[in-house]
Amino acid sequence: MKKPLITKEMIKVRATEASYSRGEQYYRNGAIFNTVKRGDFLEGFCEAGSQSEPYYVRAEVSNKGIGTTSCTCWYEYGGDCKHIVALLLNYHYQPEAFEEHPSLEETLNLFEKSELIGLISKMIKRYPDLQALIDLPMPSRIKHQTPVNVDRLRKQLQRDFKSYDPWDNRAAEHTLESIVETGQEFGKAGDWQNASVIYRMILEEIAKNNRIVDRDEEGNIASIVTDVINRLAECLDHLADDDAERYAILDALLTVYFQDIDNGSDFGDEAGDVVLRYARTADLPRLRQKLNQLHQAVGRRSHWVNESFAEFEAQLDILDNVDPEVTLSRLREEGLYSLLVGKLLEMNRADEAVQVVEQHITGSRARLRELYRLSAAGRDDDAIRLAQQTLKQNYDRQLVEWLLGRLEARGDHKLLFEWELRRMKAQPSESHYASLKKASLAVGNWESVRTELIRQLQKDQQYDVLTLIYLHDEEWDQAWETLAKVPEPSGFHASLGWGVKLDLQVAERSRMVRPAKALPVYLKYVRKSIDERNRDSYRKAAEYLATARELYLKLDDSASWSALIQEIRTEFKRLPALQDELDKAGL
């Protein structure tokens, strides 16, 4: 059979530049060994440097390209790791080195029952943890609808949770996956009762050990829990008329939902929606009682937690046909004004909602959330009035951004100019200058506004912002003159952000019109980058040198360029990585 074609481009696009480069080195060093092609899967081992055990690498390949890949290393920075890259490159260059084997399923079908038993016994003797898979309940071994005993599964999960370490021991993830698969088997067999029992047990243990989700930075456990929630919804589709089982599922979902909120995570969001979707009138008294118990258990730790409980209770009120005035009264008494505003807007009582915001929600950030809602509800005038009222008392960047967006959308040029000017004075920057210029031109007063603004920036000695303003208006000489007044042109500047140097910014933006001024700046950063002594900085040095060459040619001084690059090559001849980057850049 013809082997699938895997190109270098297909491999490269799946990995970061660093992973691909290192994987290529692993391939060249012959780190991949014991290669096999089993069906559509490549398998092999990769030498693991300082690790005693090699990494097991696997990749799916077919005529459609490269599919799923995996490696036993702990790489988690996006794309395929260097070991996977090395395996795929090995196949690209030497497909004949991969022994052809049947797929795992085809191989196992060739065994007799006694041979399979012997093989499994050997595997468990070598890897005792596999015994847990043998002990998993199976539909074929349990009479239909006979309650499955999940105690053994629960204990196994508790042990794995206790020893869980996202960097060293991830048995909990594998155990969870195996138990979920077991629930799926019962569902496929039509035994939804036992599938529910298994899934509920998982949520019960997650609720007891909810902090484990925080420790799982890759989100694998959270993903499994979300899957379990969706599978319980599937169980409810089949068990909706079983009152006891239906409520047991709703109880488990509600518990994990509020444990998740209390923990500040977001893996259980869908659980609340499932409860509200499947709850029946007969369930509501017990759900309210459960809600109260959960609230008492977590305590009133934060306004966010209290709001979450109150909002869910309000949703139950709707299901229970409670008089809306009762709900509104409860929210007022508990001081949950944001929820109160939301309910009033839902009831088309916008006048009351505006009053609540004005009287009770006075903080800048808290009020901003309500202004979005008022504007969306058609009360844009009120929202803008409240925004200005708030900002006159306490300037807030996010609130100003919202207000400016609304004023621009409405075409209110006069107010837009006033607030653009206030923002520029409070937060001077090039981008705010550009926005102010646009607004000022619209009202016809730009010349006087700019003159006063420049004068104030000079008075305040805000030379970094002033330099950027001159760049923006392409007043190149003023930009260079003002740059000389900046105390630390190579340091951090609030108007630029981290990692952007002001002198380099001036050189970059003016180099084609002021090459003689820009050239010394690039040469300074060539030296700085080389002194950092790492591959990335050498690559950056090569980029700066490429620009320097461009400027020398523009100045008609190719002799100086030749002398410079020769000097760099000679001075740093013992830095092969730098020489390599210079070669790649054609220098």
Side-chain angles (χ1 to χ4, degrees):
M1 185 175 70
K2 188 177 180 181
K3 295 181 183 292
L5 175 66
I6 300 299
T7 66
K8 287 178 65 176
E9 288 69 28
M10 293 165 65
I11 302 170
K12 186 176 290 187
V13 76
R14 294 174 56 89
T16 65
E17 186 177 347
S19 288
Y20 183 82
S21 176
R22 290 166 185 163
E24 199 170 33
Q25 192 64 46
Y26 269 65
Y27 161 71
R28 289 173 182 167
N29 292 341
I32 297 293
F33 62 97
N34 285 4
T35 52
V36 171
K37 186 173 185 297
R38 201 182 301 278
D40 285 342
F41 285 90
L42 307 178
E43 299 175 9
F45 290 88
C46 185
E47 292 178 357
S50 60
Q51 301 292 323
S52 58
E53 290 290 327
Y55 295 123
Y56 172 67
V57 194
R58 196 165 185 257
E60 181 183 17
V61 296
S62 67
N63 292 327
K64 295 180 180 179
I66 304 170
T68 59
T69 59
S70 64
C71 179
T72 54
C73 75
W74 296 109
Y75 176 81
E76 56 176 23
Y77 301 104
D80 288 336
C81 70
K82 58 190 176 184
H83 312 111
I84 294 172
V85 169
L87 178 76
L88 291 170
L89 286 172
N90 216 79
Y91 183 75
H92 167 72
Y93 287 111
Q94 305 175 60
E96 69 283 352
F98 287 73
E99 291 184 24
E100 291 278 358
H101 286 230
S103 68
L104 178 61
E105 291 75 13
E106 292 173 321
T107 301
L108 291 177
N109 279 328
L110 299 174
F111 282 77
E112 298 291 338
K113 179 179 178 181
S114 59
E115 292 174 324
L116 280 174
I117 292 173
L119 176 62
I120 293 170
S121 297
K122 289 178 182 177
M123 292 169 67
I124 293 176
K125 185 175 181 180
R126 183 170 179 182
Y127 303 104
D129 285 351
L130 293 178
Q131 180 66 51
L133 293 177
I134 303 298
D135 293 335
L136 288 171
M138 296 179 62
S140 60
R141 298 208 302 259
I142 296 177
K143 187 178 179 181
H144 192 66
Q145 300 298 343
T146 300
V148 65
N149 188 335
V150 294
D151 288 346
R152 183 175 292 173
L153 302 181
R154 189 187 298 276
K155 290 177 181 178
Q156 178 65 40
L157 204 50
Q158 289 171 347
R159 283 196 300 271
D160 290 342
F161 279 167
K162 190 173 182 179
S163 61
Y164 176 71
D165 183 339
W167 302 106
D168 188 47
N169 184 349
R170 308 176 80 165
E173 292 177 24
H174 304 308
T175 300
L176 278 169
E177 289 169 347
S178 298
I179 296 175
V180 171
E181 289 172 2
T182 300
Q184 288 178 258
E185 293 299 321
F186 278 96
K188 289 176 184 177
D191 192 346
W192 296 102
Q193 185 92 20
N194 278 324
S196 168
V197 170
I198 291 168
Y199 297 143
R200 283 194 287 110
M201 182 276 295
I202 293 174
L203 290 193
E204 288 165 7
E205 293 306 314
I206 288 290
K208 293 175 187 175
N209 300 273
N210 58 77
R211 293 291 176 186
I212 196 172
V213 181
D214 288 342
R215 296 166 59 198
D216 173 28
E217 295 181 2
E218 293 183 32
N220 296 331
I221 292 179
S223 178
I224 295 170
V225 174
T226 300
D227 183 38
V228 170
I229 291 168
N230 291 327
R231 294 193 181 282
L232 276 172
E234 186 180 15
C235 290
L236 282 167
D237 286 331
H238 296 272
L239 301 170
D241 293 329
D242 185 331
D243 291 345
E245 189 59 36
R246 184 185 67 250
Y247 182 74
I249 294 174
L250 297 179
D251 183 290
L253 290 168
L254 195 62
T255 300
V256 80
Y257 176 63
F258 280 104
Q259 285 280 2
D260 178 33
I261 288 174
D262 182 44
N263 196 34
S265 308
D266 58 5
F267 65 88
D269 284 353
E270 294 182 35
D273 294 335
V274 174
V275 172
L276 295 170
R277 188 162 71 245
Y278 287 93
R280 297 187 175 184
T281 303
D283 302 319
L284 299 180
R286 295 174 69 185
L287 286 174
R288 289 184 187 277
Q289 183 179 12
K290 180 68 177 180
L291 191 67
N292 187 51
Q293 291 172 353
L294 290 170
H295 201 177
Q296 290 179 353
V298 302
R300 296 180 177 272
R301 299 181 185 174
S302 70
H303 191 72
W304 161 248
V305 170
N306 293 337
E307 272 198 353
S308 299
F309 277 97
E311 185 168 13
F312 199 87
E313 187 174 7
Q315 294 295 328
L316 294 181
D317 286 349
I318 295 172
L319 294 179
D320 211 7
N321 293 314
V322 171
D323 183 350
E325 294 300 332
V326 173
T327 303
L328 295 176
S329 178
R330 185 174 68 243
L331 295 176
R332 283 193 183 93
E333 289 174 5
E334 296 183 10
L336 298 170
Y337 296 113
S338 181
L339 288 180
L340 179 59
V341 170
K343 292 300 172 186
L344 287 169
L345 290 176
E346 287 175 13
M347 298 164 66
N348 295 317
R349 291 160 63 171
D351 287 340
E352 293 175 67
V354 171
Q355 289 177 6
V356 172
V357 174
E358 190 160 13
Q359 295 172 12
H360 300 289
I361 304 177
T362 56
S364 301
R365 296 298 167 86
R367 180 168 278 191
L368 178 57
R369 181 170 66 166
E370 308 311 324
L371 298 186
Y372 277 107
R373 290 156 66 167
L374 290 178
S375 183
R379 301 300 289 262
D380 210 38
D381 287 344
D382 288 303
I384 289 173
R385 175 178 60 81
L386 290 171
Q388 293 186 89
Q389 178 190 94
T390 308
L391 287 168
K392 287 174 182 177
Q393 297 173 357
N394 181 32
Y395 184 89
D396 180 85
R397 297 185 180 194
Q398 289 187 16
L399 189 52
V400 166
E401 291 289 340
W402 177 87
L403 176 59
L404 290 171
R406 294 308 308 143
L407 293 173
E408 185 172 19
R410 288 162 62 102
D412 192 333
H413 301 300
K414 183 175 181 297
L415 264 183
L416 180 63
F417 162 70
E418 290 178 9
W419 282 102
E420 286 287 8
L421 183 58
R422 290 195 189 194
R423 181 174 66 165
M424 183 61 192
K425 290 179 178 179
Q427 305 167 246
S429 72
E430 182 183 2
S431 62
H432 294 166
Y433 173 81
S435 297
L436 172 61
K437 182 177 182 179
K438 178 181 177 182
S440 183
L441 287 170
V443 297
N445 62 356
W446 176 235
E447 186 175 342
S448 61
V449 168
R450 184 180 189 272
T451 300
E452 175 57 26
L453 185 62
I454 297 286
R455 186 195 66 77
Q456 190 60 50
L457 289 170
Q458 289 174 336
K459 180 181 177 182
D460 296 340
Q461 298 185 0
Q462 295 194 33
Y463 297 120
D464 54 347
V465 177
L466 198 51
T467 299
L468 291 169
I469 286 175
Y470 286 133
L471 285 177
H472 181 85
D473 290 337
E474 298 185 353
E475 297 179 358
W476 311 118
D477 292 329
Q478 290 94 324
W480 280 102
E481 289 171 12
T482 309
L483 176 66
K485 299 178 183 179
V486 178
E488 295 183 51
S490 300
F492 168 75
H493 300 276
S495 54
L496 286 173
W498 291 105
V500 182
K501 308 296 190 296
L502 184 58
D503 54 350
L504 193 57
Q505 182 83 181
V506 175
E508 172 64 26
R509 292 168 65 174
S510 68
R511 73 180 194 276
M512 300 310 294
V513 289
R514 298 292 185 272
K517 290 182 178 292
L519 183 56
V521 176
Y522 281 102
L523 297 182
K524 177 179 77 172
Y525 282 102
V526 167
R527 291 285 177 173
K528 279 180 171 289
S529 297
I530 294 174
D531 288 345
E532 290 178 14
R533 294 295 194 270
N534 64 70
R535 171 71 73 164
D536 289 339
S537 65
Y538 295 152
R539 189 176 299 117
K540 183 60 68 175
E543 292 174 8
Y544 293 144
L545 278 168
T547 303
R549 176 177 60 183
E550 176 187 17
L551 296 178
Y552 273 119
L553 294 177
K554 189 170 183 62
L555 292 167
D556 197 22
D557 191 3
S558 56
S560 294
W561 161 250
S562 299
L564 171 67
I565 193 61
Q566 183 60 46
E567 179 186 345
I568 295 289
R569 287 281 194 177
T570 303
E571 182 178 352
F572 300 107
K573 62 184 179 181
R574 295 188 179 181
L575 296 179
L578 172 62
Q579 300 289 339
D580 182 47
E581 291 300 328
L582 295 178
D583 290 340
K584 288 179 181 178
L587 303 174

